[in-house]
Structures are given as structure tokens and as C-alpha cells.
Amino acid sequence: MTTGLVPTMGALHDGHRALLRAARAENDRVVMSLFVNPAQFGPAEDFDRYPRDEQRDRDIAGQEGVDEVYAPSVEEMYPPGFATHVVSDLGGRLEGDARPGHFEGVATVVLKLFLRVAPDRAYFGQKDAQQLAVIRRMVRDLDVPVEVRSVPTQREPDGLALSSRNAYLNAEERGRAASLHRALVARDASLIEGDVEYFESVDPDTFEPAPVEAGALLVAAARFGNTRLIDNVMLEDV
């Protein structure tokens, strides 16, 4: 019997549904974790206001055929005196530079989930491409017996990548936010109607700078009001 794990922080949307459906199609058993991980939020980030609605998330999980929702407490995941963290050199640029400690928190909690659930496969969205690269490197380096599967980014009709943080956008910001994807498709950062943090072509495995050519990943982050959004496209897909 195979088990597929979909790690989430809740606030589920159609992007999460795509992950759950991929796991359901490829495994005998599907587990969805539900844990807002404090270790991946910086001191000035949105941990306290991150959207939470556990019953709604459980309802969606049921609709998508999830067999088990694993929702540990913070105390279970980080008992008193917790001191061991997973560190990756892939976390030092771009998102890692913008959010110090973020990938350390992500890699640590994902490894703990892998050890607790023992899945055969785990599913992550391509939108969080650097996170995906960090997790793949961790699995490779630490010989973790889990197949990491990526699922294409799910988008609104105007191209905006689905994200739980889209709920923070007001109507005017929401209109401008679609420019992030348009700029990536056009390979032109000047089209972004927000405050650009980075717009770069990278190797999708190492996240080191790479020529703007087929096989590279174009990544971007920008703020629309107080909401920070990220997105990416594979250049061969443009």
C-alpha cells in the first residue's frame, strides 16, 4: 500500500485541491498535514494573521478523498528545548535572503512530517519553486526514502497564481497583482505594477543565476500593498 502526503498550512484553495487530486490518483492512501509552522515565519511576518479555518480545510480534504488529516500542535512539533534544524545552502538567495530562517523552518518541519507519516510520495506546488528545490536537496542529501512530486501552479483566469495570501489583497491590489505573471511571461520586470523585490533567471535545481534560455526558471517577488507574492515560469513554457 502506498501513501501520498500533501503538507499544507491550511487556508486551502484550488491549488491545494490539485495537490490532493494528484496524491489521490497515485496512491492507495492520502494524508494531508495541517500545520501553520511558526518556524518558517520571520518576526515581522504574518504568522498571527495567517488565515485559519480548520473545519473548512477538513471539509475540503474530505471532498478530495483524503484518508487522514494530520494536524499536530506546535508543542508536538517543537517540544521544549527543541534545537535541531535542517539547513540548506539553497536557502541563502532570493527567498532565503528576503526571509532569513524561512527555509530552515520549512525543511525542518517537512522532514519531521516525513518521519511521522512515512509517505512514499509527497506533493508540492511549483509556485513555491525554491522551496521545492530545498526539499528535493534535503531528500537527496539525507537519503530520505520519499519521492518528491511537483504539481503545476494553479492560476486565476488572469494568470495570478493561487495563494492563501491572495486573501490579503484589496480589490485595487488584486487587479495589479496579475501583472506579476504577465511580466514573467513577457520576461519584462517593468510590467510589474507593484514594488519588485527580485526578478531573476535561475537554475531550477540550484537557484544560482542562469542565462535567460530554455530550461532556466524565471522567478519574481513583489509587494502589492502590504502583501508579498511570488511566482515563476519555466522559460521553455513561455
Side-chain angles (χ1 to χ4, degrees):
M1 175 179 285
T2 58
T3 297
L5 170 66
V6 180
T8 83
M9 294 204 302
L12 302 187
H13 50 66
D14 283 349
H16 295 103
R17 286 184 185 269
L19 297 174
L20 294 171
R21 289 169 185 170
R24 180 74 279 163
E26 297 178 354
N27 299 277
D28 302 305
R29 175 173 172 263
V30 175
V31 177
M32 184 188 83
S33 65
L34 185 57
F35 180 66
V36 183
N37 179 27
Q40 67 190 67
F41 290 80
E45 292 188 332
D46 57 341
F47 175 73
D48 289 333
R49 71 185 185 109
Y50 192 83
R52 294 167 171 85
D53 189 339
E54 183 171 335
Q55 188 54 58
R56 176 181 174 277
D57 294 334
R58 287 181 177 275
D59 290 343
I60 291 173
Q63 293 164 13
E64 299 300 337
V66 170
D67 297 290
E68 178 185 346
V69 174
Y70 177 52
S73 67
V74 173
E75 291 73 25
E76 285 178 78
M77 298 302 281
Y78 301 111
F82 187 91
T84 303
H85 296 272
V86 180
V87 181
S88 170
D89 62 345
L90 290 180
R93 301 188 68 250
L94 302 175
E95 285 302 287
D97 184 54
R99 305 179 67 188
H102 171 68
F103 287 123
E104 179 179 298
V106 169
T108 300
V109 78
V110 168
L111 181 57
K112 293 199 68 165
L113 290 170
F114 286 175
L115 293 171
R116 287 180 171 225
V117 177
D120 298 277
R121 303 180 184 94
Y123 295 79
F124 299 88
Q126 177 61 33
K127 180 183 76 69
D128 297 300
Q130 193 170 1
Q131 170 181 280
L132 185 61
V134 167
I135 292 166
R136 283 181 165 151
R137 176 68 65 84
M138 176 190 74
V139 164
R140 187 199 73 180
D141 289 356
L142 301 182
D143 301 317
V144 183
V146 176
E147 179 186 354
V148 177
R149 305 278 283 151
S150 66
V151 174
T153 302
Q154 305 297 299
R155 300 184 180 278
E156 299 284 2
D158 62 1
L160 179 65
L162 297 185
S163 168
S164 300
R165 289 186 169 90
N166 291 351
Y168 299 156
L169 299 167
N170 63 32
E172 186 272 335
E173 292 161 352
R174 170 62 185 82
R176 291 190 290 112
S179 67
L180 185 59
H181 183 244
R182 289 197 299 270
L184 286 166
V185 172
R187 308 184 190 185
D188 184 353
S190 70
L191 297 178
I192 298 176
E193 300 172 17
D195 297 323
V196 180
E197 289 192 3
Y198 61 76
F199 191 94
E200 221 178 291
S201 176
V202 299
D203 180 290
D205 297 319
T206 66
F207 267 71
E208 290 298 319
V212 180
E213 61 186 22
L217 188 71
L218 197 60
V219 297
R223 288 188 179 275
F224 301 90
N226 293 322
T227 304
R228 183 177 184 276
L229 300 178
I230 61 173
D231 201 353
N232 64 84
V233 295
M234 289 293 293
L235 291 182
E236 61 201 31
D237 294 339
V238 176

